[in-house]
Amino acid sequence: MHFTIEQFLSHPLLKEAKLLFSNKAMLTQPIESISVIETPVERLIRENEIVLTTAIGCEENDTFKSFIKAIYASHAAAIAIAIGRNVTTIPESILKFARKHEFPIILLPWKIRFSDIIKIVTEGVYKQKQYFADKADSLQRRLLQLYFEGDSLSRALKLIEDETGMQVYLLQEEFAAAFFSLNQEHPTNYLQYDQVQIDKPSVVCTIWNTRAQVFPFHIYDHYIGIIILETAMLSFELIDWFVLEKITIALRLWFKKDRILIEQENKEKTEFIKTLVEGKYNDWKKIEKQVNRFNIDKSVKYFCIVGFAEMEDCEQKYSSFESQISKIAFDCARSLRIEMISTFQSGYLSIFLNSAVSLYNEFIDVFEEKLAIYCLPYFSWGISERLTDVYAFPHNYKDAKIALEIGRRQKGPGTRNTSSDTSIFRLLSHLSENKLADDLVRQTIEPLITYNRERGLDLFRTLSYYINYQGNISQTARALALQRQSLLYRLQKIESLTGKSLSEPDDRFLLQLCQKLLTISGVQ
């Protein structure tokens, strides 16, 4: 309850004061402050303020009526006029206006000092605020007791409903669950997240003829929660905002507890996905249990996208925005109605999508747009286009990572490359695991690496450029910024160190094969 006009007039000092006409709405009109105003008004009046005046300068009826209208337009609670010196009676035109708009006019005996009236209102407002503060503290203590006793959030909402006599429910951000009290089935009529203001408290009228008090609050970080108190009562009285603030401080504890549990489960799930991706498992029964525990559907097929953030000291700095990037990726997948599993490892973002492979460009487009909005680093991408179940994640991840690294080397950072774009390199990656192939590469190319280490002349790079430009001397020299004679000297040195002739097709093929195998080993 607020301090009202009825309580104001019940004070013994005001027994001779007179409310010209009244009804229930007038008597229950809340008073929140008081001021002394004479003409002109000039926006000096607060909402629900009682205005004291001697009406000096209002001898003319039109001036007096304009004065009353200006106070009414300021949403004042009432006007109290000292009768005697400046005004002795209230003109009929003013009485007619006040009746029509149900605006309270109080006549005060001239002998009552304004300072005494100000004291009455100040003390009355303070007592009511103290009453609300005590009630809010009591309700907050009871909510905290429920929390520490392990009771549910629904039970807490039921307690608030019992205290306020209103329907109470909580909303989270769009697409998240709504929370209701224990005595309710999930109602069909309730406000949605996108139907209310989330930047400030407000009161709204619903389409099902109820009025709702809406109070947004921070659950944690940038997540917004909204508590709704709704009633069909015609005499709707606002719950003080500071009372709702006290309530929401307690309600945050339930969300914080849930967040800790969710974060722990997500951490465990991430570690499990890393185990799957790396193929570091030998107990299939244990893997099956974990797959079931985290509700991973074994029957669906996934393709893999691997991203690398293009920033300095990427692995070191990744931890500062991993959670933010993970949430953005999840939101993008949800907006496209795609099921997603993701993990970070060694600076790489691995995303497994259960959808048509053709959607990867659309997903990356949406993801990169969000990254740009939040000023996060851009990514290079590798895509494995084969669909596999969760047990083949290591193969999918390997294909996507090879596509990523080969694409970065060939086209530079910030590009997208599929496994089909780099099919020759995937073939070579399997060959590179063969011991005979590894020995061949070492015997053929290692002399060039040793020469570079000892003499500082990168003959392997020279060979790579020469192969890429298909043996064209002029183009190779230009790309390496070398004179023709310097390039010829290097090519002769390559032939002497490897024992292979660049003019012989078989030798040239062998050198090219070894060069690509060595590149692949660097990628892996």
Side-chain angles (χ1 to χ4, degrees):
M1 294 290 292
H2 294 86
F3 183 63
T4 63
I5 288 177
E6 185 175 23
Q7 291 173 308
F8 170 68
L9 293 173
S10 66
H11 195 280
L13 186 64
L14 297 173
K15 62 183 178 181
E16 296 182 28
K18 180 182 179 182
L19 180 62
L20 290 184
F21 48 88
S22 66
N23 57 32
K24 186 176 180 181
M26 285 185 181
L27 291 174
T28 57
Q29 170 68 41
I31 298 173
E32 296 179 1
S33 60
I34 187 169
S35 64
V36 179
I37 300 288
E38 306 293 351
T39 57
V41 174
E42 293 184 350
R43 299 182 180 179
L44 298 176
I45 301 171
R46 297 175 182 174
E47 185 174 355
N48 293 331
E49 188 166 80
I50 187 167
V51 175
L52 303 181
T53 185
T54 64
I56 188 170
C58 293
E59 290 79 7
E60 299 293 330
N61 286 357
D62 289 344
T63 303
F64 197 2
K65 187 175 181 180
S66 296
F67 179 53
I68 297 295
K69 283 184 174 182
I71 293 172
Y72 169 77
S74 300
H75 304 287
I79 182 169
I81 306 169
I83 297 296
R85 186 167 299 178
N86 300 315
V87 173
T88 55
T89 59
I90 306 299
E92 184 60 33
S93 61
I94 293 177
L95 294 176
K96 186 177 179 181
F97 172 83
R99 284 193 188 95
K100 179 181 177 181
H101 297 283
E102 296 185 339
F103 181 55
I105 296 179
I106 301 169
L107 303 184
L108 299 172
W110 186 266
K111 63 183 180 180
I112 301 177
R113 290 191 293 267
F114 279 4
S115 60
D116 293 332
I117 297 174
I118 291 171
K119 183 179 179 182
I120 292 170
V121 172
T122 302
E123 289 179 349
V125 171
Y126 173 78
K127 285 179 181 178
Q128 289 304 115
K129 286 189 178 295
Q130 189 60 46
Y131 166 79
F132 277 122
D134 293 343
K135 189 173 182 179
D137 286 340
S138 174
L139 180 54
Q140 187 184 60
R141 284 194 297 272
R142 292 169 67 189
L143 287 170
L144 291 174
Q145 183 178 355
L146 286 179
Y147 174 79
F148 289 116
E149 289 175 353
D151 250 316
S152 66
L153 180 58
S154 295
R155 180 77 67 180
L157 297 180
K158 177 63 168 60
L159 174 61
I160 300 170
E161 284 186 343
D162 292 343
E163 286 293 314
T164 62
M166 304 168 75
Q167 177 187 342
V168 178
Y169 53 96
L170 284 172
L171 304 177
Q172 286 180 280
E173 61 178 352
E174 195 171 5
F175 304 120
F179 298 91
F180 302 90
S181 67
L182 291 173
N183 64 346
Q184 288 188 347
E185 299 294 331
H186 200 287
T188 54
N189 294 335
Y190 69 94
L191 292 171
Q192 306 290 324
Y193 187 85
D194 59 356
Q195 292 177 323
V196 296
Q197 287 184 301
I198 63 171
D199 57 340
K200 62 180 180 180
S202 59
V203 177
V204 299
C205 295
T206 69
I207 59 173
W208 43 90
N209 297 321
T210 61
R211 298 181 73 188
Q213 194 168 348
V214 180
F215 187 78
F217 63 100
H218 282 276
I219 296 176
Y220 42 74
D221 300 339
H222 58 282
Y223 290 94
I224 300 293
I226 300 169
I227 186 169
I228 311 285
L229 295 93
E230 190 174 342
T231 181
M233 294 174 58
L234 295 177
S235 56
F236 176 75
E237 186 171 311
L238 288 176
I239 305 297
D240 272 39
W241 300 118
F242 79 89
V243 174
L244 293 180
E245 178 63 34
K246 289 261 189 179
I247 290 173
T248 56
I249 287 173
L251 294 181
R252 287 187 186 102
L253 293 173
W254 274 273
F255 289 102
K256 185 175 182 181
K257 179 181 178 181
D258 287 344
R259 185 188 187 190
I260 292 171
L261 294 174
I262 290 170
E263 285 181 347
Q264 179 61 31
E265 183 174 335
N266 286 341
K267 183 178 180 181
E268 292 174 4
K269 184 176 181 180
T270 297
E271 291 302 315
F272 174 62
I273 297 301
K274 284 182 181 179
T275 301
L276 275 180
V277 169
E278 295 170 354
K280 295 180 179 178
Y281 49 84
N282 48 27
D283 187 340
W284 281 101
K285 289 184 178 179
K286 185 176 180 181
I287 292 297
E288 286 281 345
K289 286 182 180 179
Q290 293 289 76
V291 166
N292 294 330
R293 176 193 171 193
F294 295 118
N295 296 317
I296 298 173
D297 193 339
K298 296 175 288 186
S299 65
V300 303
K301 303 293 185 181
Y302 299 85
F303 70 93
C304 180
I305 300 175
V306 175
F308 182 79
E310 299 295 346
M311 60 185 294
E312 294 181 2
D313 301 324
C314 179
E315 187 172 345
Q316 180 181 350
K317 296 181 181 179
Y318 236 140
S319 58
S320 63
F321 55 77
E322 271 188 16
S323 60
Q324 188 176 5
I325 288 179
S326 294
K327 184 180 185 306
I328 291 173
F330 176 78
D331 289 344
C332 292
R334 185 172 59 181
S335 69
L336 295 172
R337 303 184 184 280
I338 299 173
E339 184 179 340
M340 184 194 80
I341 298 173
S342 69
T343 183
F344 283 94
Q345 51 192 122
S346 304
Y348 291 90
L349 169 62
S350 305
I351 298 173
F352 296 88
L353 297 175
N354 170 26
S355 72
V357 177
S358 58
L359 277 178
Y360 75 80
N361 272 320
E362 186 175 356
F363 173 83
I364 294 175
D365 287 341
V366 174
F367 183 75
E368 289 184 335
E369 183 179 333
K370 294 286 187 183
L371 292 178
I373 291 173
Y374 293 105
C375 300
L376 292 167
Y378 68 96
F379 275 68
S380 298
W381 299 99
I383 300 99
S384 171
E385 298 167 297
R386 62 174 174 173
L387 291 168
T388 61
D389 59 26
V390 294
Y391 301 113
F393 275 9
H395 304 296
N396 248 2
Y397 172 75
K398 183 177 179 181
D399 286 350
K401 188 178 177 186
I402 289 174
L404 164 68
E405 296 295 358
I406 295 300
R408 289 180 76 235
R409 292 186 181 219
Q410 290 182 329
K411 302 177 185 178
T415 57
R416 305 175 191 179
N417 300 276
T418 66
S419 52
S420 61
D421 295 334
T422 56
S423 55
I424 183 64
F425 288 96
R426 287 192 295 118
L427 177 63
L428 292 173
S429 72
H430 293 292
L431 182 58
S432 68
E433 296 172 1
N434 183 282
K435 187 177 185 306
L436 292 176
D438 184 57
D439 291 341
L440 178 63
V441 170
R442 291 182 183 279
Q443 292 171 8
T444 306
I445 299 298
E446 192 166 327
L448 304 182
I449 306 300
T450 302
Y451 190 85
N452 179 40
R453 190 162 51 244
E454 294 175 352
R455 304 291 181 88
L457 188 61
D458 194 348
L459 296 180
F460 181 75
R461 181 167 176 263
T462 302
L463 176 63
S464 298
Y465 273 72
Y466 180 76
I467 291 171
N468 289 341
Y469 285 105
Q470 300 177 351
N472 188 299
I473 298 295
S474 299
Q475 290 181 351
T476 305
R478 191 159 45 248
L480 290 169
L482 293 174
Q483 293 182 356
R484 183 182 180 87
Q485 287 303 117
S486 297
L487 175 60
L488 291 173
Y489 169 78
R490 291 190 181 193
L491 295 177
Q492 290 172 3
K493 182 59 70 175
I494 289 170
E495 289 179 327
S496 67
L497 289 171
T498 61
K500 307 298 177 185
S501 172
L502 292 172
S503 60
E504 287 293 328
D506 287 347
D507 285 354
R508 195 162 58 245
F509 171 76
L510 180 61
L511 287 170
Q512 183 176 7
L513 177 62
C514 290
Q515 178 253 338
K516 289 189 179 298
L517 286 173
L518 189 62
T519 300
I520 283 292
S521 66
V523 168
Q524 298 181 89

